[in-house]
Amino acid sequence: MSDIILGIESSCDDTSAAVIRDGYLLSNVLASQDVHKCYGGVIPELASRAHQLNIVPVVSEAINRAGIKPEEITAIAFTRGPGLLGSLLVGTSFAKGLALSLDVPLVEVNHLQGHVLANFVKQYDRENHCPSFPYLCLLVSGGNSQIVKVNGPLDFEILGQTIDDAVGEAFDKCSKMLGLGYPGGPVIDRLAKQGNPDRFTFSKPHIPGLDYSFSGIKTSLLYFVRDEMAKDPEFMEKNKEDICASFQRTLIDILMDKLIKAAKLTGIKEVTIGGGVSANSGLRSRIEEEGRKRGWNTYLPEFKFTTDNAAMIAIAGYYHYLNGERTSLDVAPVSRIADFHKE
């Protein structure tokens, strides 16, 4: 008998639902929220209201596209955290109600583990390549930057992480302060393709071990642009492509230096990336380049699996379900990783 998992993701500003059967994707539906762009960032209250509007039609569409009946669902996997508490509450509450009505078990999922396991979502219409265990995952998103050693589907070891801002925050904050728009990652990536990455030099942090820091380069960029614009008010407009290319290259250098170090220390040659920033074209090209140079087997998630999507929640929930894990109906969402296992 097949195991059919419905996944629900609502950690930030994307409402998503997906259905997988025995690890193979049947549907993956996502509703984004454009309302936040005019504010230059996600407004939590607006995000939770939009989730309330989107959750029913999104889940319904995912079930319809999968070609199944609700009664065929084996279990419901949902994002418990980390994320925006109001947004998580919408997804968690809906998952509880649906599980109760269908009399099926709930399975909670750590949002970050979903990103780490995104490469394991299989699709019927193509050849599927998954990393072998153990592998290294460079997890890069708006709120997290980590190097994770993955020993098994449910066995994760954090080797290094940011001590301040995440790389996604560096993209977004600098883009906003420079007047380039939100979200910053795609904007800077687009402009960087047209610029010279060797034009400007920004200082890099010297953090011991495998930890990251991105607050310094963010400050360095902003002071540099401010000082140059004091001499020439049109400096930013004249040089934005080169500024973005140099800034992005510096961020990628910081990420890759630590990843290369982790690969050397562990001897692992299976390498993946995950999270929203894994859609960055410069980072994707660089990790493939380093892989060819260093004999790595590299795995890049499809673009549709880099954002906050329910397919990754469903596959993570699938592994938790197979492991016999079930979640009580009195579970509460958590906004921080530190609160995930405090019960």
Side-chain angles (χ1 to χ4, degrees), residues 169-180 188 217-219 221-222 247:
E169 289 177 306
F171 274 120
D172 286 343
K173 290 179 181 179
C174 287
S175 179
K176 180 180 179 179
M177 292 177 183
L178 295 175
L180 298 177
I188 291 176
I217 182 178
K218 178 187 66 179
T219 304
L221 169 67
L222 297 177
F247 176 63

Side-chain angles (χ1 to χ4, degrees), residues 193-214:
K193 293 176 182 178
Q194 308 167 43
N196 176 10
D198 298 317
R199 174 80 184 283
F200 302 111
T201 301
F202 302 109
S203 59
K204 299 177 185 178
H206 298 284
I207 308 298
L210 298 176
D211 286 338
Y212 289 109
S213 171
F214 295 101

Side-chain angles (χ1 to χ4, degrees), residues 2-6 18-28 66 68 120-130 305 311 314-315 318-319:
S2 297
D3 289 319
I4 297 178
I5 308 296
L6 169 67
V19 178
I20 65 169
R21 176 190 282 121
D22 297 331
Y24 282 85
L25 186 66
L26 299 181
S27 66
N28 189 29
I68 66 167
F120 288 86
V121 178
K122 298 178 181 179
Q123 300 177 79
Y124 286 108
D125 59 348
R126 67 202 64 194
E127 189 175 357
N128 297 285
H129 299 283
C130 303
F305 298 141
I315 194 65
Y318 174 62
Y319 287 121

Side-chain angles (χ1 to χ4, degrees), residues 232-277:
D232 178 5
E234 297 183 359
F235 174 80
M236 179 63 197
E237 185 60 32
K238 292 177 181 177
N239 300 280
K240 61 183 178 182
E241 290 86 1
D242 290 346
I243 292 171
C244 288
S246 300
F247 176 63
Q248 178 168 287
R249 197 275 307 273
T250 305
L251 291 179
I252 292 172
D253 284 347
I254 295 170
L255 290 170
M256 292 307 301
D257 287 348
K258 297 288 187 173
L259 182 60
I260 291 168
K261 185 175 181 179
K264 289 180 178 178
L265 289 172
T266 60
I268 295 174
K269 293 186 178 295
E270 298 280 300
V271 179
T272 75
I273 55 176
V277 183

Side-chain angles (χ1 to χ4, degrees), residues 21-252:
R21 176 190 282 121
D22 297 331
Y24 282 85
L25 186 66
L26 299 181
S27 66
N28 189 29
V29 178
L30 186 146
S32 298
Q33 302 174 8
D34 293 332
V35 66
H36 306 286
K37 290 184 178 180
C38 60
Y39 296 99
V42 177
I43 306 301
E45 177 63 22
L46 296 180
S48 58
R49 290 181 182 182
H51 282 301
Q52 289 179 313
L53 294 175
N54 293 334
I55 189 73
V56 172
V58 165
V59 171
S60 178
E61 181 65 16
I63 293 174
N64 289 336
R65 288 189 191 179
I68 66 167
K69 297 178 181 179
E71 294 76 17
E72 297 179 75
I73 294 172
T74 306
I76 298 175
F78 68 98
T79 302
R80 185 185 172 201
L84 300 176
L85 197 56
S87 296
L88 291 166
L89 188 59
V90 174
T92 300
S93 299
F94 184 87
K96 288 181 183 180
L98 187 58
L100 193 61
S101 67
L102 296 175
D103 193 26
V104 297
L106 275 176
V107 181
E108 65 181 71
V109 173
N110 181 321
H111 175 81
L112 301 182
Q113 292 181 359
H115 278 305
V116 173
L117 295 173
N119 284 288
F120 288 86
V121 178
K122 298 178 181 179
Q123 300 177 79
Y124 286 108
D125 59 348
R126 67 202 64 194
E127 189 175 357
N128 297 285
H129 299 283
C130 303
S132 301
F133 300 108
Y135 67 87
L136 296 178
C137 179
L138 177 62
L139 176 58
V140 279
S141 68
N144 298 274
S145 295
Q146 298 177 337
I147 298 176
V148 183
K149 180 185 176 188
V150 187
N151 300 306
L154 302 177
D155 186 357
F156 307 91
E157 180 183 352
I158 298 175
L159 302 181
Q161 58 189 329
T162 182
I163 61 174
D164 42 54
D165 287 350
V167 65
E169 289 177 306
F171 274 120
D172 286 343
K173 290 179 181 179
C174 287
S175 179
K176 180 180 179 179
M177 292 177 183
L178 295 175
L180 298 177
Y182 175 86
V187 175
I188 291 176
D189 191 20
R190 174 176 55 82
L191 292 172
K193 293 176 182 178
Q194 308 167 43
N196 176 10
D198 298 317
R199 174 80 184 283
F200 302 111
T201 301
F202 302 109
S203 59
K204 299 177 185 178
H206 298 284
I207 308 298
L210 298 176
D211 286 338
Y212 289 109
S213 171
F214 295 101
S215 63
I217 182 178
K218 178 187 66 179
T219 304
S220 174
L221 169 67
L222 297 177
Y223 278 131
F224 166 74
V225 173
R226 184 200 64 180
D227 293 344
E228 293 298 323
M229 289 187 69
K231 295 179 282 186
D232 178 5
E234 297 183 359
F235 174 80
M236 179 63 197
E237 185 60 32
K238 292 177 181 177
N239 300 280
K240 61 183 178 182
E241 290 86 1
D242 290 346
I243 292 171
C244 288
S246 300
F247 176 63
Q248 178 168 287
R249 197 275 307 273
T250 305
L251 291 179
I252 292 172

